[in-house]
Amino acid sequence: MNNDPKKRIQALKKQLAEYSYEYHVLDAPTQSDAVYDGLMSELKRLEADHPELITADSPTQRVGNEISKGFKSVSHVSRMLSLNDVFSEEDVSAWIVRIQKLLPHAKSFSFYGDVKKDGLACSLIYQDGVFTQAVTRGDGFKGEDVTDNVRTIASVPLRLRHVEATKVLIPGRLEIRGEIVMYKKDFESLNAARKKSGLDLYANPRNTAAGTIRQLDSKLVAERKLHFLAYDILPENARDMSTHSHVYSLLSDLGFKGAEYGAQLKDSKAIQTFIHTWSKKRDSLPYEIDGLVIKVDQRDLYDAAGVVGKNPRAAVAYKFPAEQSTTIVKDIFVSIGRTGAATPVAILEPVRVAGSTVQMATLHNDSEIARKDIRIGDTVIIHKAGDIIPEVVAPMVSLRSGTEKVFHMPKQCPECETTLTKEKEGEAVWRCPNVRCPARSQKHIEHFASKGAIDIDGLGEKNVVALIEAGLIKDQADIYALTYEQVRELDRFADVSAQKLITAIQEKKNPPLERFIFGLGIRHVGTQTAIDLANTFHSLESLQKAPLEDIASVNGVGEVVAESILAWFSDTTNQELLNKFKKLHVTAQHAKKAEGPLSGLKFVITGTLTNMSRDIAADQIRNKGGVFQSSLGKDTDYLVVGENVGASKLKKAAEYGTKQIDEATLHKMIA
Ligand code: IVH
């Protein structure tokens, strides 16, 4: 990466111009919009800091969009407007406050929400109920006449449906506005076919839909299955359409698709719920959406609020956080995990992706870095979806200045200088084999104290590091020997916080057995395995004494896991650790299983649940006395079927005769 702003600006402009050409001229973008936006915002930032470097050819200086040649240009009877974007729930609340101030005389009003279909806007004109013309948005005032192409779209009614509710609307000119989209599955099969024929792949459904409509050959358009999703009616004379809710119901009556998910929202709380629901459910739709549209439902108030620039005041587009952006790899360091795994981690120029700031991203291992050719100083594409861990997708090679450095995996552990090794030939992960490596101990202590394990309040990474550096703890058991005086001495603590920590530790001297087993950090023993082990052996001592066959026969535990457990208990360092716990009177307790309406029933969940996480569902099943299993067995009573379920699970359930229930039924059972 070049530190000279002039050179960096030049490089960014060149790259952005290339993307813009691919997108607007070739209709064949090679990058996502988010990547373009990421580079564009860096350019805007640099130009704001160095206004003397702004030139006429900068993409930041481009205003308006052009109309392509080849189609007849048509003036819109009424301007096709856009929407103001908002990016957070706070923005939405601020908008509601503004609207309320703007409409002080309105007695009461409500809102209307819909999914924001990610396609291209199009206006359809009907004359006495017959489809006569289709016009793209263009610059809002004038668009392109794409009638022949749009006529091929099966969901565009060629004649409006004449029913009781619509008969007054049909005479004369009627304009219907909506979005043309390509369904995700059609996009995927189109790309699969292109791949087979050795053709370039299309970037996303929206650009493909837009490119398709702007084809001059309508036969080609007909081959692509596009859809028209309506969202507005512009009648020639204002008819009885006092609310958007009513407009949506008329759209369905007229024979249009697109009104399925519209919902009346009575207040800001309903809007927030609408946002939460769709943030989770968006992937379940057949087409892509890039946000939600929220508007004032009452059309007279909507119109009274007016328009600023090209956006109505009484509506906003809530945009889902972008899942990609670009940033710079400032450095790469190696982090040593609990099991000794040495993982290269990229330190990034902080950047906002999918609603949070990303500053670091795991690069997995050195072969992965070499495969992607990620170098220190590179501008890279970052991907992060919701709560998923951020990932470096690829470097942007064209933005290299020549000063980037290739990363070399160190030969020794950066913490204890032990030579890194690989467990097996051909394995990708390097490990620090030193079980007493301070980095490994630190991670073990953090894991032990973490929420999923013993859950000691106030014992996060920073405090663990401080306690280790002060020489107060070396392993998990040492935590229990800490005194108030010792902790109080440290810079990070005051009277109250020191006392709080000591109390939190003492409260956890008899942790539940499954949490304790999980907290030990035995390789391959996750939460569920720990629960299965606790339910089978009832105490740490009997697990410690159990032979391999007994451990391996526990539901969900195989040979590999059993061997890892046995190896852990035979290690002398670990035996010392367990002795230390004993001396400090730390004893894990096996709680009797909760009795409840689900006592004795065994559950497995497959697929994604929409209203709760799998962990929460598992907890609730256990709270009601049920058993949560990690894999389907002959003894499983219920298979809870979520979304996106593979056929093999269902086949197995049918074979075993397991009862299949949906999420709503599970809800009722655990309510
Ligand atoms: S209402 C003033 N509803 O998003 C325009 N628009 O970024 C009022 N869009 O111009 C439009 N889905 O092309 C509305 N359910 C929906 C929409 C939607 C997609 C498009 C539309 C609009 C653009 C604004």
Side-chain angles (χ1 to χ4, degrees):
M1 130 96 181
N2 211 306
N3 285 327
D4 174 359
K6 192 169 177 190
K7 289 218 172 100
R8 180 69 178 170
I9 285 178
Q10 268 169 3
L12 288 168
K13 279 195 299 201
K14 191 160 166 243
Q15 185 62 71
L16 285 164
E18 189 61 27
Y19 287 159
S20 174
Y21 171 74
E22 289 170 357
Y23 186 105
H24 293 287
V25 181
L26 303 182
D27 277 330
T30 56
Q31 280 300 350
S32 71
D33 289 7
V35 167
Y36 183 90
D37 293 346
L39 297 183
M40 187 73 152
S41 60
E42 189 191 343
L43 179 62
K44 279 190 190 152
R45 235 180 7 252
L46 281 172
E47 287 185 343
D49 291 346
H50 306 277
E52 73 283 4
L53 298 177
I54 301 177
T55 58
D57 68 347
S58 170
T60 59
Q61 305 303 301
R62 194 197 285 277
V63 262
N65 41 4
E66 299 150 25
I67 292 180
S68 78
K69 297 166 203 75
F71 291 104
K72 197 171 79 192
S73 157
V74 178
S75 293
H76 290 293
V77 169
S78 122
R79 184 178 175 187
M80 278 188 90
L81 297 170
S82 283
L83 292 172
N84 266 326
D85 291 338
V86 292
F87 297 96
S88 66
E89 292 182 26
E90 292 79 61
D91 290 353
V92 176
S93 306
W95 168 72
I96 296 173
V97 172
R98 278 204 305 280
I99 283 291
Q100 278 161 343
K101 277 200 190 136
L102 212 62
L103 304 169
H105 304 302
K107 275 198 214 80
S108 73
F109 58 87
S110 49
F111 300 92
Y112 196 72
D114 190 12
V115 294
K116 186 169 182 303
K117 290 107 184 174
D118 199 10
L120 78 145
C122 191
S123 218
L124 310 184
I125 291 127
Y126 287 83
Q127 206 63 51
D128 293 327
V130 177
F131 171 68
T132 49
Q133 197 175 37
V135 187
T136 63
R137 176 208 304 278
D139 62 3
F141 295 106
K142 274 183 179 170
E144 298 161 332
D145 184 330
V146 288
T147 311
D148 290 340
N149 287 349
V150 170
R151 196 190 298 282
T152 69
I153 299 176
S155 51
V156 168
L158 297 180
R159 181 177 282 280
L160 297 172
R161 287 168 61 84
H162 193 283
V163 294
E164 193 52 38
T166 63
K167 70 177 186 210
V168 293
L169 276 177
I170 290 177
R173 182 184 189 279
L174 191 69
E175 189 167 334
I176 307 291
R177 288 184 175 172
E179 203 82 359
I180 296 174
V181 300
M182 178 176 268
Y183 277 14
K184 290 186 277 193
K185 69 171 177 6
D186 295 324
F187 171 74
E188 273 149 29
S189 38
L190 175 65
N191 254 355
R194 288 181 70 86
K195 192 170 176 191
K196 239 185 179 169
S197 321
L199 296 167
D200 284 346
L201 298 190
Y202 289 132
N204 58 48
R206 171 171 49 98
N207 291 323
T208 315
T212 304
I213 284 296
R214 291 168 79 237
Q215 298 258 7
L216 288 171
D217 179 0
S218 57
K219 276 208 208 82
L220 262 177
V221 185
E223 283 168 21
R224 307 262 172 92
K225 297 178 198 119
L226 299 178
H227 297 259
F228 179 81
L229 307 169
Y231 57 69
D232 207 1
I233 305 177
L234 277 80
E236 201 161 30
N237 311 302
R239 311 277 159 121
D240 173 30
M241 290 198 311
S242 59
T243 59
H244 290 288
S245 318
H246 190 210
V247 169
Y248 268 57
S249 99
L250 287 173
L251 283 169
S252 301
D253 291 337
L254 285 166
F256 289 95
K257 203 159 60 174
E260 296 78 8
Y261 308 109
Q264 197 174 26
L265 307 167
K266 69 175 193 313
D267 53 18
S268 60
K269 199 156 169 276
I271 296 178
Q272 307 292 11
T273 311
F274 191 69
I275 292 177
H276 289 176
T277 309
W278 281 108
S279 302
K280 273 197 239 145
K281 273 205 330 205
R282 62 187 289 205
D283 290 339
S284 65
L285 286 173
Y287 46 84
E288 288 193 343
I289 60 174
D290 61 337
L292 302 169
V293 176
I294 316 282
K295 34 189 167 183
V296 169
D297 197 21
Q298 288 68 22
R299 294 199 17 139
D300 53 346
L301 297 179
Y302 184 94
D303 292 340
V307 174
V308 186
K310 53 186 173 111
N311 304 326
R313 281 205 187 90
V316 281
Y318 168 83
K319 291 300 238 351
F320 293 126
E323 294 183 342
Q324 281 198 347
S325 191
T326 58
T327 189
I328 290 154
V329 176
K330 293 202 292 193
D331 202 355
I332 298 176
F333 75 97
V334 171
S335 154
I336 305 292
R338 228 172 353 114
T339 59
T343 311
V345 178
I347 304 180
L348 307 167
E349 195 65 59
V351 60
R352 270 190 88 74
V353 198
S356 65
T357 302
V358 175
Q359 321 201 36
M360 277 196 249
T362 168
L363 297 170
H364 305 290
N365 55 62
D366 54 340
S367 354
E368 181 78 357
I369 298 177
R371 188 179 67 76
K372 290 184 175 167
D373 189 21
I374 297 164
R375 303 183 190 175
I376 299 165
D378 263 344
T379 305
V380 289
I381 299 168
I382 298 286
H383 180 93
K384 178 175 176 283
D387 300 333
I388 296 170
I389 300 162
E391 204 188 10
V392 176
V393 180
M396 310 195 71
V397 177
S398 59
L399 288 177
R400 280 192 182 146
S401 66
T403 57
E404 295 74 16
K405 287 197 209 79
V406 173
F407 169 78
H408 296 287
M409 193 72 188
K411 295 270 173 281
Q412 289 165 340
C413 170
E415 294 286 339
C416 68
E417 296 183 2
T418 307
T419 302
L420 298 178
T421 55
K422 289 199 174 180
E423 271 187 353
K424 276 184 238 120
E425 195 64 35
E427 212 191 32
V429 184
W430 288 96
R431 280 175 207 278
C432 169
N434 175 13
V435 284
R436 291 181 192 269
C437 168
R440 291 183 61 174
S441 308
Q442 179 201 321
K443 297 279 165 49
H444 266 297
I445 299 171
E446 282 172 32
H447 170 74
F448 182 78
S450 70
K451 268 216 154 23
I454 308 297
D455 191 13
I456 301 177
D457 237 4
L459 205 49
E461 180 183 348
K462 291 208 174 102
N463 284 345
V464 170
V465 171
L467 291 166
I468 293 178
E469 279 176 356
L472 294 176
I473 56 173
K474 285 202 177 62
D475 60 33
Q476 300 96 309
D478 289 339
I479 295 172
Y480 292 96
L482 283 170
T483 64
Y484 166 78
E485 288 71 25
Q486 287 175 329
V487 176
R488 179 66 193 84
E489 284 287 293
L490 304 183
D491 284 349
R492 295 184 57 79
F493 290 90
D495 295 350
V496 177
S497 51
Q499 190 51 56
K500 264 194 173 162
L501 179 62
I502 297 297
T503 311
I505 294 170
Q506 293 307 316
E507 275 172 2
K508 299 289 163 77
K509 279 186 99 166
N510 298 109
L513 181 60
E514 64 278 8
R515 285 180 171 265
F516 192 76
I517 296 175
F518 175 64
L520 292 175
I522 305 170
R523 239 171 124 193
H524 305 304
V525 177
T527 325
Q528 185 59 40
T529 307
I531 292 170
D532 294 339
L533 291 169
N535 284 339
T536 312
F537 296 101
H538 307 297
S539 75
L540 196 71
E541 289 70 29
S542 51
L543 172 61
Q544 197 170 359
K545 278 188 240 140
L548 187 77
E549 313 80 71
D550 287 7
I551 304 178
S553 64
V554 174
N555 176 21
V557 178
E559 194 86 351
V560 177
V561 183
E563 273 170 12
S564 159
I565 295 169
L566 222 61
W568 194 91
F569 281 109
S570 22
D571 184 288
T572 50
T573 316
N574 295 333
Q575 287 167 357
E576 277 163 29
L577 176 73
L578 294 178
N579 281 336
K580 230 165 154 183
F581 275 126
K582 225 182 242 161
K583 276 197 201 128
L584 291 161
H585 307 291
V586 179
T587 337
Q589 308 252 325
H590 179 56
K592 268 183 74 83
K593 253 188 267 164
E595 285 294 322
L598 303 184
S599 284
L601 296 175
K602 299 190 175 76
F603 290 78
V604 168
I605 296 179
T606 183
T608 331
L609 300 184
T610 45
N611 286 316
M612 60 182 144
S613 75
R614 181 184 292 257
D615 287 348
I616 289 178
D619 261 352
Q620 301 208 10
I621 289 170
R622 286 187 211 110
N623 287 342
K624 296 278 174 203
V627 176
F628 178 77
Q629 298 177 310
S630 45
S631 60
L632 194 74
K634 287 201 175 105
D635 60 344
T636 308
D637 296 288
Y638 290 100
L639 178 68
V640 184
V641 184
E643 279 171 14
N644 306 322
V645 176
S648 65
K649 273 263 166 69
L650 300 180
K651 212 174 133 205
K652 209 161 154 196
E655 236 169 69
Y656 293 160
T658 317
K659 248 195 224 126
Q660 298 185 19
I661 56 171
D662 61 7
E663 187 178 342
T665 313
L666 174 68
H667 242 291
K668 279 188 208 129
M669 293 171 87
I670 57 184

